[in-house]
Structure formats: structure tokens, C-alpha cells
Amino acid sequence: MSTLARLLKESWSLVEDRADHLANHFYARLFLIDPNLRDMFPVQMAVQRSRLLGALVEAVQTVDNPSQFDAYLRSLGRDHRKFHVSPEHYGAVGTALIDAVRTYSGDRWTVAYERAWREGYDAIAARMLSGAAEEEGRQAFWHAEVIAHERRGRGDVAVFCCRPLDPFHFRAGQYVSIETPYQPRLWRNYSVANTEGADNTLEFHVRSATAGWVSSALVRRLKVGDMIKVGPPMGSMTLDSQCTRDLVCIAGGTGLAPIKALVGELTQYNRNRWLHLFVGARDRDDLYDLPALRRLSGRYPWLSLVTACSDDSTYDGEQGNIDEVVQRFGPWQDHEFYVCGSPPMLRSTLGTLAGMGVDAEHTHYDEIFGPHGAPPVC
């Protein structure tokens, strides 16, 4: 670990147990520095309060890993153009962030900590600004019309399709941010569940979270004919067409969305790579896309499907958490892995794969859904 990373982690440990209060201080300081910034944020700040600060802290503390975070931060900078973010805004955010950490550290704050946070944040801002500059003159977001919407399972999951009014280019496995007319200025990230096609449509799988303003609106209020906004594609959990290793795809809940997109891409050209698809859920009602998955596995001989329920003893498929089921079907050391699900599911699965001897180099997941559960910066 570099000296910079050590100082950042060490100083954050001084205030981590008061993160909620620190977040309040951060936003109060930010809006005091530039009151106009308040209009860029949603009216409801309760959920937002932890998101921006949490993501900034997560990014700053991992600044010593440029190969892992450079592409992500550049894409984040491109994505944040939809907020009309300008270079001077980065300065205000950095000042508020460092002031908040300094204030809650009290007399334990040192000159070395101050220097480390300034250096770390400057590196993050530089990457994001560079990403934004690369897209200058291009669209910051797309208007898209909802053309289909269906609630599944217990009604807490929605599968819906929209069509951007302008051409939208992306790769299977990527995610985008979405804003609905029911929650203005609240953007949340969702994976695209299909591949790019001539019809220019995007499919999404969304579960309504207990405290999810956007997810609840997308599941319970969104309807055909509504217009939503879609941010530019982000994420690196995409297929390498040059790789010849067989594949294992593991999905938990609506983490199925990007996995289904990857399978869809393979159906366009795959001939000689086996794909083992594992889909986990709490019970049979949570296997909301099972008919479509069975049709895929029946059509393509190279695709095998295994479904599992962790809390449904009457289910006639596999029983247990999906990482435990994958382990029973191993060994998998010679395969390429793609994983998506909730942060707890992802942490457990990555730990299981590591315990089976699967090289991290051959395990793919997007950091925004990563083991630390880093929240999206939106």
C-alpha cells in the first residue's frame, strides 16, 4: 500500500463512525460555497446525502490503483455532464469534502492528512474532467420513450423497455443512469439487459427497494408512453471476443440483467465456447425471467442453465445460495467468470471463487456493484 493510500485510510478511520453527520456538514458547506449547486440536487436529500460523499471517499481511498479506476472515473466524468457540471464545481466539492473530514477529525487532523486528501481528490477530479472533455460537444443524456412495462414476481420487479429518440450505442454488460419524471434530478444506475440492435431499444430489470425513490417509481408508477432520461453507458463487464475460455455467468436477483445481455451477445456468434449460467433467488417467485431463460437454454446447445433458491424448500431445482451451488458444480479453474448481484451476494461469490482457486484476473464484475458496495455518484 502506498503512503498516500495509507494516510487516506488512516484518516478516514477517525471519522467513519460519524459518517452521517459528516455528510450533513459536507452538503451544508458545499451549498454555502456555491448556493447555485443546490439546484443540481434532488429535493429529497435523505438518500442522496450518503451517495455522493460515499462514492467520493471510496474513490479517494483507492487512488493508488489507477489501472483499475482510471476508466471508471473517466466514464463517471462523461456521465456527470448530464448534471451540467463544470470544472469550478469540482473545486467546490473538493473544498467541502476536505473541510468535512478535517472538522470531524478534530485535533487528530495533521498536515500530512490534509496533503493526502488534496492529492487524492485532485487525482479523482483530473480523471473525471478528462473524461468529460473527451465527450465535449456530444449528448450528455438521451430522452427515451417507454414502450413496454411488465411487473413480475410478487410485483416488486419490473421488466420494461424504452426507445431512445436518438441512436444510443453501448456494449452488452454495461449500465446506464436513469432519471424518471416522477423523481426529478434523482439518477440511479441500472444495467441494460439486452444487446444493441437495429430497433434501438433498451431493456431494464428493476426491483423496488424499500427506500428506493427511483426504483419504486420505475416499478410502480412508470407506464407505457412515459419519457425518461438515460445517461451514457458505463462499465467494463463486457466480453472479450478474443478469449477462448469457457464461461461461467452467475446472477443474483435483478443482477440477471447484464448477464442476460452477455448471453444475448454470445448467441450472435458463439460456436465453440460452453456457457454455464447460474441464476440465484430467494424463492421461485424471484426467478422472474425463468421462462425466457429456459427458452434460451433450449435453443442453444452450448448454454446450460442452473437455477437455485436459497429460501424455498419446495423448489424442485437447486437449493442454497448461488455461490454454494456453483461450488458444487466445479471445478472451474479454467473458466472465465462474470458475476452480478447485490453487494452481499457479490462479496460471498467472489470469496467462494477465490477459495476454489479461480484467478481474479478471470473474474469480471463492475466496481459499482463491487465488493465494497460503492454507491453510484448520482
Side-chain angles (χ1 to χ4, degrees):
M1 182 185 300
S2 69
T3 301
L4 174 63
R6 179 183 60 77
L7 288 170
L8 291 170
K9 293 178 184 294
E10 185 178 288
S11 56
W12 179 248
S13 70
L14 302 177
V15 299
E16 191 170 13
D17 61 341
R18 290 168 291 166
D20 288 343
H21 297 293
L22 189 147
N24 289 334
H25 182 101
F26 165 74
Y27 281 104
R29 184 78 172 96
L30 180 62
F31 299 149
L32 184 63
I33 294 171
D34 187 349
N36 293 325
L37 286 174
R38 183 62 183 87
D39 293 335
M40 298 170 63
F41 289 83
V43 174
Q44 298 286 349
M45 287 291 292
V47 176
Q48 179 68 31
R49 187 169 290 116
S50 64
R51 288 182 175 269
L52 176 57
L53 179 65
L56 285 172
V57 170
E58 180 80 15
V60 167
Q61 292 190 89
T62 49
V63 72
D64 64 331
N65 194 341
S67 62
Q68 184 175 3
F69 280 86
D70 184 73
Y72 168 65
L73 291 166
R74 286 176 182 273
S75 68
L76 208 58
R78 292 192 292 270
D79 178 70
H80 270 58
R81 293 179 306 125
K82 66 177 181 269
F83 296 111
H84 306 291
V85 173
S86 61
E88 57 267 25
H89 293 149
Y90 284 89
V93 170
T95 298
L97 172 64
I98 295 169
D99 181 76
V101 180
R102 181 198 304 120
T103 298
Y104 277 83
S105 296
D107 57 10
R108 293 174 293 180
W109 187 254
T110 67
V111 173
Y113 291 157
E114 177 95 17
R115 188 182 302 114
W117 278 86
R118 289 188 182 280
E119 182 181 343
Y121 180 77
D122 286 347
I124 299 301
R127 287 179 173 88
M128 291 183 67
L129 283 166
S130 178
E134 292 169 357
E135 296 296 306
E136 188 173 355
R138 299 181 183 178
Q139 285 182 250
F141 60 85
W142 285 253
H143 292 281
E145 181 182 4
V146 178
I147 59 174
H149 186 282
E150 180 184 353
R151 292 175 67 172
R152 298 185 184 175
R154 299 180 184 82
D156 61 342
V157 171
V159 174
F160 68 91
C161 291
C162 65
R163 179 178 287 117
L165 302 188
D166 297 308
F168 186 87
H169 301 292
F170 66 98
R171 291 194 61 189
Q174 290 190 301
Y175 59 90
V176 300
S177 56
I178 293 177
E179 181 198 49
T180 80
Y182 305 105
Q183 294 294 339
R185 301 196 298 277
L186 264 179
W187 293 78
R188 293 295 179 263
N189 294 323
Y190 297 98
S191 293
V192 183
N194 61 309
T195 59
E196 184 177 326
D199 59 355
N200 196 41
T201 60
L202 303 172
E203 178 183 318
F204 297 98
H205 300 181
V206 179
R207 183 183 301 278
S208 176
T210 303
W213 294 93
V214 176
S215 64
S216 292
L218 291 174
V219 172
R220 296 188 170 92
R221 302 181 66 183
L222 196 69
K223 61 185 183 298
V224 172
D226 281 349
M227 298 296 294
I228 63 175
K229 293 179 182 177
V230 177
M234 297 186 290
S236 58
M237 196 180 74
T238 55
L239 292 173
D240 178 2
S241 60
Q242 303 302 312
C243 181
T244 59
R245 294 163 64 97
D246 290 335
L247 300 160
V248 178
C249 290
I250 309 172
T254 53
L256 172 63
I259 299 299
K260 187 177 179 182
L262 296 176
V263 174
E265 179 178 324
L266 282 168
T267 63
Q268 299 173 8
Y269 60 79
N270 185 49
R271 293 293 182 273
N272 51 17
R273 298 174 72 183
W274 290 99
L275 190 155
H276 306 273
L277 175 58
F278 291 86
V279 180
R282 290 170 299 174
D283 54 43
R284 67 187 67 217
D285 287 335
D286 275 342
L287 293 169
Y288 63 89
D289 208 31
L290 189 55
L293 295 175
R294 284 175 171 164
R295 286 194 296 271
L296 280 170
S297 64
R299 182 175 180 181
Y300 298 98
W302 44 261
L303 172 62
S304 68
L305 172 66
V306 176
T307 57
C309 289
S310 59
D311 301 314
D312 187 347
S313 59
T314 65
Y315 183 61
D316 56 4
E318 295 292 325
Q319 298 284 333
N321 293 327
I322 195 62
D323 60 308
E324 300 168 345
V325 175
V326 172
Q327 188 172 28
R328 293 201 293 267
F329 279 75
W332 302 109
Q333 286 84 350
D334 297 326
H335 290 68
E336 205 78 5
F337 281 80
Y338 289 82
V339 187
C340 190
S342 66
M345 172 269 184
L346 193 50
R347 282 194 295 270
S348 178
T349 301
L350 294 179
T352 298
L353 295 181
M356 290 192 295
V358 175
D359 195 321
E361 178 185 351
H362 300 294
T363 305
H364 307 274
Y365 58 92
D366 265 321
E367 194 64 31
I368 199 154
F369 305 108
H372 303 296
V377 189
C378 48

